[in-house]
Amino acid sequence: MLEEKLHAVEEKWISNQIGRDTYDRWSSTYNTEIFTIKGYIERYNRDQSYGYKILKKHLHQLGDMKTIYNHSNTIEKRVLVSKVFDSNLYYKNGIYRTPTIVPVLACNELIMKEKGLLEIDKKRDFPEKIPSSGAGGICIASIRRLYSISYVELNSYSPNYSPLLIID
């Protein structure tokens, strides 16, 4: 479709129906779109088995927040903390505090409060549903909703690559 449009623009220019400026603008636009689409096709046609092997090997670590945090660089750590606490984490009177926390991780609220690690300063309403912890289930089971996982291009993988989450 785009190649047909490009061909039509070329024919119009050859037959002097359009000027040089118009031809340059439209041929540039169509060539850029064609190049971009061909790049997508090439990227998605690559063998992605290596990426899936890495994902399968480290999938069990997805729920291990300590491992994820420890293997992250400074920027990834900052993004993780920002996502979990909705950019509302602050330090006051010797303890970290926040008015918000991701509901998936709220099941550890009492433990963090007892250990003096975190206080959630939020007005409590009656919860719509019982938090999934203890006998009701494991709160980490729905951790996958917290992240959208994407991996760096396959050609950037190396044997020393540690699969870290890239949080969108």
Side-chain angles (χ1 to χ4, degrees):
M1 176 87 162
L2 288 173
E3 290 172 343
E4 291 171 2
K5 289 181 179 181
L6 178 61
H7 185 66
V9 167
E10 289 171 348
E11 285 180 0
K12 287 179 182 179
W13 184 63
I14 291 170
S15 65
N16 290 327
Q17 293 177 353
I18 59 173
R20 176 75 176 185
D21 293 339
T22 304
Y23 170 76
D24 288 342
R25 181 180 41 163
W26 286 107
S27 66
S28 174
T29 301
Y30 291 144
N31 279 320
T32 302
E33 289 181 28
I34 290 169
F35 181 74
T36 302
I37 290 171
K38 285 183 179 180
Y40 284 138
I41 291 169
E42 183 180 321
R43 186 172 64 200
Y44 291 124
N45 283 335
R46 288 185 192 160
D47 180 23
Q48 297 180 0
S49 61
Y50 184 70
Y52 285 118
K53 284 179 189 176
I54 291 173
L55 179 62
K56 186 176 178 181
K57 180 179 177 184
H58 297 283
L59 189 60
H60 68 282
Q61 292 178 341
L62 180 60
D64 187 358
M65 297 301 284
K66 186 175 184 177
T67 301
I68 291 170
Y69 188 82
N70 289 335
H71 284 90
S72 298
N73 64 34
T74 305
I75 294 171
E76 291 168 335
K77 287 178 181 179
R78 188 171 176 175
V79 170
L80 178 64
V81 170
S82 176
K83 288 255 187 202
V84 170
F85 299 106
D86 197 25
S87 301
N88 290 319
L89 185 65
Y90 61 95
Y91 191 78
K92 182 178 176 186
N93 298 331
I95 190 168
Y96 285 99
R97 300 171 185 275
T98 183
T100 58
I101 189 169
V102 175
V104 171
L105 301 175
C107 64
N108 294 325
E109 179 182 348
L110 292 176
I111 295 169
M112 291 185 287
K113 187 173 183 176
E114 286 174 3
K115 291 183 177 183
L117 300 173
L118 177 72
E119 279 202 26
I120 300 177
D121 301 329
K122 150 175 156 172
K123 193 162 106 175
R124 291 287 182 190
D125 295 329
F126 186 74
E128 293 179 21
K129 73 174 202 171
I130 297 172
S132 58
S133 62
I138 301 171
C139 75
I140 210 70
S142 57
I143 193 78
R144 66 179 178 254
R145 285 188 230 138
L146 184 59
Y147 302 106
S148 59
I149 303 171
S150 62
Y151 284 90
V152 183
E153 297 259 336
L154 290 175
N155 60 4
S156 66
Y157 288 131
S158 68
N160 299 330
Y161 175 72
S162 174
L164 296 176
L165 294 176
I166 299 170
I167 304 173
D168 296 321

